[in-house]
């Protein structure tokens, strides 16, 4: 029943680029599939260079046209209207997101609410983007204005398609930018619905444009010389290419490239609370989140009791079709399924011990890409404890004390987020200061919301998203100095 209704929702989306307020159909070149049933859902065009160039030209014209003339307060009102319309479409968008990406429906609903919240949050900012005056003394006056950075490219991943697009789009629009977005090739439909919502809410034509396609289309977008800022979320390898091509025309970039985030549990922690945080942190969205707590670092005296609690909770997690609202859906694609499988083969080679899971899961009547919650006790240099897997795989390491925990937490190529569970606030705050990441969670992994900034250090990239800091990438400071007789 749910599947039937969801397929009806799917049929309500016209699959085609959205450029200048028009729907542009194209030849079907890409397939969208339900990763739980391994069944084709629909086809999608691959825009390539020509449609990217067209969309960027349209975005440039819109930037210099009606959008520039739209007052900040009106931009804010538009964002409010978009937020409300996203919330009103929650059932439809969440069902489509689940069908294309696999995640449990309640998590897809959470993503839709987060997307609505991004627009609500940045709606309140649009008319408060204020400059400053600079004292230069008699006969001189200087002030700054924060102008939109220009045409913004959003290259979007597949793990939370609508929420990730909203995370960049809402501040870009609040700042007065125009946007060309390229959703991930496997999950583009929620972006199309969002574009239609924006048009219906009154966003002027050309302010938001969506070009469908794969990595070559993404490369054409980051390489377009008329793009001023590129916002990219995805793999390190693709992020480096995006940065290299943006550098050819000196566009600025925000790169959010994932992580291998440490979660430390000290001997004095509330172990039930910590176990809840560990399980949520790594098995939410089947581990396919950039901030997943993929490395559990635990003080040796509490390792066994903590692992008992984590394993017991993980065993209770259910798998199934996302529309049936299990705890874990399938992995998002065949490629992702193989990525996790390869990582587990490597873990065996490295001598890691499987405490739970470790093999693909059989789910009745569903041939899809399922992996169960997997827990590995890892050896110090094993790849499973260092490389991002982006699946439901927890790598556990034991350490003798808090100092060793901090050292191991920092011994990583990535630097996105990290967490700690302890009742000792001195230790918690010392850890927070010492950890080389952008966001730290104390006694509540992944607490916070659209207000709290996050971004990369080291291989996790750079730039900040969310919160007021997340607006900065979309603004360019201009200083005007006047000399006058006084
Ligand atoms: P990917 O980086 O290949 O794709 C992400 C987005 O970038 C997609 O829209 C894709 O079409 C586009 N893209 C790919 N290559 C590009 C290029 N050269 N130029 C411009 N755009 C390009 O990610 P993936 O293959 O789908 O997943 C691989 C890994 O990426 C995962 O294992 C995970 O480590 C990481 N990932 C991270 C996040 C995150 O939230 N940080 C999200 C998704 C994937």
């Amino acid at each position: 029943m749910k599947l039937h209704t969801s397929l009806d929702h799917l049929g309500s989306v016209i699959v085609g680029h959205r450029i200048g307020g028009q729907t542009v159909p194209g030849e079907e070149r890409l397939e969208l599939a339900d990763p739980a049933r391994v069944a084709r859902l629909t086809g999608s065009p691959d825009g390539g260079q020509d449609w990217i160039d067209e969309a960027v030209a349209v975005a440039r014209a819109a930037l210099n046209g009606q959008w520039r003339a739209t007052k900040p307060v009106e931009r804010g009102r538009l964002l409010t209207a978009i937020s409300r319309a996203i919330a009103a479409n929650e059932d439809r968008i969440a069902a489509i997101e689940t069908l294309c990406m696999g995640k449990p429906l309640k998590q897809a609903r959470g993503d839709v609410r987060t997307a609505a919240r991004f627009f609500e949050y940045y709606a309140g900012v649009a008319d408060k983007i204020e400059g400053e005056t600079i004292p230069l003394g008699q006969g001189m006056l200087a002030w700054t204005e924060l102008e939109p950075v220009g045409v913004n490219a959003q290259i979007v991943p597949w793990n939370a398609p609508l929420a990730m697009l909203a995370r960049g789009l809402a501040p870009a629009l609040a700042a007065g930018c125009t946007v060309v977005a390229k959703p991930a090739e496997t999950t583009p439909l929620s972006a199309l619905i969002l574009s239609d919502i924006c048009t219906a809410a009154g966003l002027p034509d050309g302010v938001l444009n969506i070009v469908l396609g794969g990595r070559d289309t993404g490369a054409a977008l980051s390489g377009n010389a008329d793009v001023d800022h590129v916002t990219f979320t995805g793999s390190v390898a693709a992020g480096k290419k995006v940065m290299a091509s943006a550098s050819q025309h000196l566009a600025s970039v925000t790169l959010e490239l994932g992580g291998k985030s440490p979660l430390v549990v000290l001997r004095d922690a509330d172990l039930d609370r910590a176990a809840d945080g560990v399980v949520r942190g790594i098995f939410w969205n089947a581990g396919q989140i950039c901030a997943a707590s993929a490395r559990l670092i635990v003080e040796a005296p509490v390792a066994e009791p903590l692992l008992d609690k984590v394993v017991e909770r993980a065993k209770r997690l259910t798998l199934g079709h996302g529309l049936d609202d299990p705890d874990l859906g399938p992995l998002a694609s065949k490629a992702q399924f193989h990525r996790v499988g390869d990582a587990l083969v490597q873990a065996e080679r490295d001598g890691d011990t499987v405490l739970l899971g470790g093999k693909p899961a059989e789910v009745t009547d569903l041939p899809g890409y399922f992996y169960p919650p997997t827990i590995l006790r890892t050896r110090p240099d094993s790849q499973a404890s260092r490389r991002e897997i982006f699946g439901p795989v927890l790598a556990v390491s034991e350490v003798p004390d808090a100092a060793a925990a901090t050292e191991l937490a920092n011994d990583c190529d990535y630097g996105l987020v990290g967490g700690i569970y302890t009742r000792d606030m001195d230790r918690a705050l010392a850890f927070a200061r010492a950890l080389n990441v952008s966001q730290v969670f104390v006694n509540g992994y992944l607490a916070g919301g659209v207000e709290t900034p996050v971004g990369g250090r080291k291989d996790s990239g750079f730039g900040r998203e969310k919160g007021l800091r997340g607006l900065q990438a979309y603004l360019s400071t201009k200083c005007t100095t006047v000399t006058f007789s006084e």
Side-chain angles (χ1 to χ4, degrees):
M1 188 60 174
K2 267 189 184 158
L3 179 62
H4 182 73
T5 315
S6 303
L7 289 171
D8 284 350
H9 286 318
L10 186 77
S12 71
V13 188
I14 302 171
V15 185
H17 316 298
R18 303 291 193 270
I19 299 174
Q22 304 293 315
T23 297
V24 183
E27 192 187 328
E28 280 189 10
R29 299 221 167 135
L30 300 166
E31 292 240 313
L32 309 190
D34 172 354
R37 293 178 301 129
V38 194
R40 182 185 191 275
L41 295 169
T42 183
S44 152
D46 191 351
Q49 186 83 51
D50 290 350
W51 285 115
I52 287 289
D53 290 351
E54 172 71 16
V56 173
V58 165
R60 175 64 58 190
L63 182 75
N64 295 328
Q66 200 187 338
W67 196 227
R68 188 188 286 276
T70 304
K71 288 187 169 149
V73 63
E74 288 304 330
R75 293 204 304 267
R77 285 179 185 144
L78 275 166
L79 264 65
T80 299
I82 293 167
S83 170
R84 291 188 178 142
I86 293 170
N89 277 275
E90 180 182 312
D91 287 353
R92 176 179 173 230
I93 304 175
I96 287 174
E97 210 83 308
T98 288
L99 264 184
C100 294
M101 190 272 157
K103 65 173 59 188
L105 195 56
K106 57 179 173 287
Q107 295 181 17
R109 284 185 180 283
D111 285 359
V112 177
R113 286 175 204 162
T114 300
R117 180 76 188 107
F118 273 121
F119 280 90
E120 181 185 42
Y121 178 83
Y122 287 107
V125 175
D127 58 358
K128 299 168 193 71
I129 300 172
E130 297 173 350
E132 59 205 348
T133 56
I134 297 165
L136 290 176
Q138 196 172 21
M140 296 190 88
L141 177 59
W143 68 88
T144 59
E145 289 175 277
L146 302 177
E147 298 184 340
V149 73
V151 174
N152 167 231
Q154 295 275 336
I155 302 178
V156 185
W158 42 262
N159 56 332
L162 183 75
M164 293 294 95
L165 174 56
R167 183 173 75 176
L169 178 60
L173 296 181
C177 295
T178 56
V179 175
V180 177
K182 192 211 76 69
E185 44 273 54
T186 49
T187 55
L189 300 186
S190 54
L192 299 180
I193 298 176
L194 177 57
S195 173
D196 295 345
I197 282 174
C198 290
T199 301
L203 194 72
D205 291 348
V207 174
L208 170 62
N209 308 277
I210 310 276
V211 180
L212 303 176
R215 62 184 55 185
D216 291 345
T217 299
L221 181 53
S222 59
N224 185 296
D226 211 18
V227 165
D228 298 297
H229 181 79
V230 183
T231 307
F232 174 83
T233 303
S235 60
V236 177
K240 286 179 178 172
K241 288 182 186 154
V242 164
M243 188 169 166
S245 67
S247 76
Q248 294 305 303
H249 56 280
L250 296 177
S252 50
V253 290
T254 300
L255 298 178
E256 210 274 65
L257 308 178
K260 186 82 182 176
S261 297
L263 200 170
V264 166
V265 180
L266 298 186
R267 65 184 80 194
D268 68 336
D270 175 335
L271 294 187
D272 284 304
R273 202 166 158 190
D276 288 341
V278 171
V279 168
R280 190 184 134 80
I282 185 63
F283 300 128
W284 186 263
N285 201 14
Q288 299 165 117
I289 57 171
C290 49
S293 55
R295 288 191 294 149
L296 171 60
I297 299 171
V298 54
E299 264 197 289
V302 290
E304 287 316 314
L306 177 71
L307 283 175
D308 287 349
K309 287 175 189 294
V310 170
V311 169
E312 184 216 314
R313 282 163 171 75
K315 273 185 180 162
R316 286 205 304 263
L317 298 178
T318 55
L319 274 85
H321 196 293
L323 293 173
D324 294 328
D325 243 343
D327 296 309
L328 279 82
L331 296 173
S333 64
K334 192 174 182 177
Q336 203 53 26
F337 183 73
H338 287 309
R339 199 169 284 141
V340 172
D342 292 349
L344 291 174
V345 168
Q346 183 63 42
E348 200 177 339
R349 270 193 214 125
D350 288 346
D352 297 336
T353 310
V354 178
L355 302 181
L356 187 72
K359 297 258 178 307
E362 302 278 328
V363 179
T364 312
D365 296 334
L366 292 175
Y369 308 124
F370 291 94
Y371 261 97
T374 292
I375 301 177
L376 304 174
R377 196 191 289 269
T378 48
R379 295 171 64 81
D381 270 328
S382 88
Q383 295 197 17
S385 66
R386 304 191 73 84
R387 294 216 177 141
E388 186 180 44
I389 296 176
F390 223 63
V393 182
L394 178 68
V396 183
S397 306
E398 284 178 37
V399 287
D401 53 34
T406 303
E407 194 180 324
L408 185 58
N410 269 332
D411 182 15
C412 180
D413 292 338
Y414 291 96
L416 191 61
V417 309
I420 188 165
Y421 284 79
T422 175
R423 290 187 173 96
D424 182 335
M425 270 305 135
D426 285 347
R427 285 211 159 129
L429 296 182
F431 172 82
R433 281 269 166 90
L435 198 62
N436 193 6
V437 300
S438 74
Q439 193 175 18
V440 182
F441 304 102
V442 176
N443 292 330
Y445 198 77
L446 296 185
V450 305
E451 305 89 340
T452 50
V454 69
R457 292 185 184 182
K458 302 196 275 184
D459 279 4
S460 294
F462 51 79
R464 294 292 174 268
E465 297 190 272
K466 307 203 300 174
L468 292 178
R469 292 273 158 199
L471 196 65
Q472 301 305 318
Y474 302 101
L475 295 169
S476 177
T477 302
K478 179 185 280 177
C479 181
T480 304
T481 306
V482 180
T483 306
F484 61 103
S485 303
E486 195 172 359

